[in-house]
């Protein structure tokens, strides 16, 4: 997923916060719909509903905006964003790709029409930049590198054209931040992509992180997306698990029904060793999957079941640990995530438990599965080979 982020080098039009303080007293008019304080106030609840995975409420409100502003790209872009979050919760699920791209295309058409009428229309440029950013990110996730690079170049072009409106600046900073960070990180970690990245200007990784913090603190439209990227970077690239926990805790508290924020919160609790809280959140995730709650599916189940298994193994409850490791396998197979670390580690642990229970044939089956799905350099593959050799399986 992380490779794709560099192609989303533009601001994402996301609100997800309280209405402006002056919105109830004085409505500030703007030539741009994006900056209309009255609309910002009206739309805040709808965007928050989207982030909280109440898509029915959010999209009903988006349709009202579409009726009021039929020729503006905003309603179609918001609908695309709603489908993006359906994709985000399980990025391997391609079932929403076509409808997401259809709404992006409609937003493009309307933004281009505005741009044709007035080549200085910074709002139109803003939507084109944001749309190409999302398109590039999805294409990168689908390993369509040429398409992703093309979309990324277009995103940068329109982002430059949208500059100059002071009130847009905090939102544009998210695009700058992502570009600065990942244009340095990707060549360092994926040398094969250096020729692609040579097409882009040089970034500044430290500055990118600083800019993300600024957006997370000061922006209106892009604050939540900046927080999303920050907790991912703090958890994986920057090795600052407590910072990741701080942000994911806030997001889960604000949007308690967002499965992505929920499982991220559970993961960061697990990472820092807050076991009882991690188990509580993981158990709630598994309950929500069983009841069919929107967005809670096998991918989240794989995370939650693994944390439960680890906890029970830690306290010496082998039967419960085995139960949840098996559940991790079941969710992993349902989501076709057999190469994931949690799936592979669960196989290794189940193999160890089988050895402890003197079930050598079963242990051998588990370790053979590890060798089947894991790359040879993966720690799980090495562990499986060691167990097979040591126990003469």
């Amino acid at each position: 997923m992380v490779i794709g982020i560099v192609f989303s080098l533009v601001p994402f039009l996301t609100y997800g916060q309280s209405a402006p303080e002056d919105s109830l007293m004085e409505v500030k008019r703007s030539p741009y719909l994006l900056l209309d304080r009255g609309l910002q106030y009206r739309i805040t609840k709808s965007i928050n509903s989207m982030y909280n995975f109440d898509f029915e409420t959010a999209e009903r409100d988006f349709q009202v905006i579409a009726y009021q502003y039929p020729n503006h790209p905003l309603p179609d872009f918001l609908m695309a964003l709603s489908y993006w979050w359906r994709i985000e919760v399980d990025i391997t699920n391609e079932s929403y790709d076509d409808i997401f791209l259809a709404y992006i295309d409609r937003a493009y058409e309307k933004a281009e029409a505005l741009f044709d009428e007035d080549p200085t229309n910074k709002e139109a440029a803003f939507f084109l930049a944001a749309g190409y950013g999302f398109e590039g990110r999805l294409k990168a996730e689908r390993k369509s590198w040429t398409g992703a690079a093309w979309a990324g170049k277009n995103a940068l072009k329109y982002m430059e054209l949208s500059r100059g409106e002071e009130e847009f600046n905090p939102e544009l900073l998210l695009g700058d931040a992502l570009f600065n960070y990942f244009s340095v990180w990707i060549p360092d970690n994926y040398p094969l992509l250096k020729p692609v990245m040579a097409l882009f200007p040089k970034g500044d990784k430290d500055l990118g992180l600083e800019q993300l913090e600024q957006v997370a603190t000061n922006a209106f439209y892009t604050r939540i997306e900046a927080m999303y990227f920050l907790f991912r970077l703090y958890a994986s690239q920057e090795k600052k698990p407590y910072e990741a926990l701080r942000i994911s805790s806030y997001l889960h508290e604000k949007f308690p029904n967002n499965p992505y924020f929920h499982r991220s919160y559970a993961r960061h609790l697990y990472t820092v060793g807050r076991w009882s809280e991690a188990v509580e959140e993981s158990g709630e995730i598994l309950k929500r999957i069983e009841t069919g709650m929107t967005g809670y599916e096998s991918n989240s189940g794989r995370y939650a079941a693994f944390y439960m298994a680890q906890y029970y193994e830690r306290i010496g409850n082998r039967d419960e640990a085995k139960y949840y490791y098996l559940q991790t396998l079941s969710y992993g197979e349902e989501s076709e995530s057999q190469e994931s670390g949690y799936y592979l580690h669960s196989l290794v642990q189940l193999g160890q438990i089988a050895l402890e229970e003197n079930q050598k044939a079963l242990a051998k089956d588990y370790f053979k599965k590890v060798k089947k799905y894991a790359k040879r350099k993966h720690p799980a593959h090495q562990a499986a080979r060691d167990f097979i050799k040591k126990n003469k399986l």
Side-chain angles (χ1 to χ4, degrees), residues 261-271 278 281-282 285 307:
F261 294 156
H262 196 173
R263 77 172 185 235
S264 298
Y265 178 49
R267 179 179 185 176
H268 299 145
L269 287 169
Y270 162 78
T271 300
E281 296 301 334
S282 297
I285 289 170
Y307 304 146

Side-chain angles (χ1 to χ4, degrees), residues 82-102:
S82 185
Y83 279 94
W84 174 259
W85 273 93
R86 290 171 168 94
I87 295 170
E88 183 63 55
V89 77
D90 181 5
I91 204 68
T92 64
N93 181 0
E94 300 183 17
S95 63
Y96 297 113
D97 286 17
D98 289 344
I99 190 167
F100 164 77
L101 290 171

Side-chain angles (χ1 to χ4, degrees), residues 112-387:
E112 285 167 351
L114 293 176
F115 212 63
D116 289 342
E117 290 177 9
D118 178 10
T120 68
N121 188 320
K122 297 186 183 303
E123 184 175 51
F126 184 96
F127 277 107
L128 288 165
Y132 279 116
F134 268 114
E135 181 183 345
R137 185 172 169 191
L138 180 63
K139 287 184 176 179
E141 294 289 2
R142 303 298 179 235
K143 306 297 187 292
S144 177
W145 302 118
T146 301
W150 175 81
K153 292 286 282 185
N154 278 324
L156 283 176
K157 177 181 75 173
Y158 285 110
M159 190 168 73
E160 289 301 319
L161 290 173
S162 64
R163 296 189 190 281
E165 180 70 35
E166 185 177 352
E167 290 188 70
F168 281 159
N169 289 343
E171 321 310 331
L172 293 171
L173 190 60
L174 177 60
D176 288 336
L178 295 176
F179 177 79
N180 273 320
Y181 190 94
F182 287 103
S183 62
V184 175
W185 185 89
I186 286 179
D188 287 347
N189 290 272
Y190 294 88
L192 290 177
L193 292 178
K194 283 185 178 181
V196 175
M197 297 313 302
L199 299 172
F200 296 91
K202 188 174 182 180
D204 183 329
K205 187 175 162 185
D206 292 336
L207 177 59
L209 206 60
E210 180 183 325
Q211 289 171 325
L212 276 176
E213 289 283 6
Q214 291 178 36
V215 178
T217 302
N218 300 317
F220 177 71
Y221 296 118
T222 54
R223 181 169 174 249
I224 301 302
E225 289 292 341
M227 288 185 176
Y228 160 85
F229 283 111
L230 273 174
F231 81 66
R232 288 187 63 98
L233 293 178
Y234 282 141
S236 58
Q237 312 306 324
E238 299 298 313
K239 310 303 180 188
K240 295 181 178 180
Y242 286 97
E243 288 297 300
L245 175 59
R246 174 181 60 82
I247 298 170
S248 61
S249 175
Y250 169 83
L251 290 172
H252 175 56
E253 182 179 355
K254 189 165 184 63
F255 307 108
N257 296 330
N258 182 312
Y260 190 92
F261 294 156
H262 196 173
R263 77 172 185 235
S264 298
Y265 178 49
R267 179 179 185 176
H268 299 145
L269 287 169
Y270 162 78
T271 300
V272 303
R274 288 168 57 173
W275 289 91
S276 60
E277 293 165 278
V279 167
E280 181 180 354
E281 296 301 334
S282 297
E284 180 62 27
I285 289 170
L286 295 175
K287 287 178 184 176
R288 292 183 181 192
I289 293 171
E290 290 174 7
T291 60
M293 193 166 172
T294 302
Y296 284 82
E297 38 58 75
S298 56
N299 202 33
S300 295
R302 178 169 51 89
Y303 285 73
F306 182 79
Y307 304 146
M308 298 285 280
Q310 288 273 283
Y311 169 75
Y312 284 112
E313 183 178 7
R314 183 181 178 87
I315 66 172
N317 189 331
R318 181 189 293 171
D319 290 340
E320 287 295 296
K322 183 162 60 174
Y323 172 81
Y324 284 108
Y325 279 131
L326 287 169
Q327 204 170 42
T328 304
L329 297 189
S330 178
Y331 282 126
E333 287 157 8
E334 184 179 338
S335 61
E336 298 183 351
S337 303
Q338 288 94 332
E339 295 181 2
S340 70
Y342 291 164
Y343 183 89
L344 296 171
H345 190 70
S346 294
L347 285 173
V348 171
Q349 298 307 109
L350 285 167
Q352 285 186 266
I353 292 172
L355 285 174
E356 292 168 4
E357 295 177 344
N358 201 30
Q359 299 182 63
K360 287 193 171 184
L362 179 59
K364 184 177 181 179
D365 288 342
Y366 285 132
F367 295 137
K368 284 175 66 178
K369 272 191 174 183
V370 174
K371 293 176 68 178
K372 175 182 177 181
Y373 292 118
K375 295 180 180 178
R376 187 169 181 82
K377 292 183 179 180
H378 195 285
H381 197 290
Q382 181 64 56
R385 295 201 310 272
D386 291 344
F387 276 115

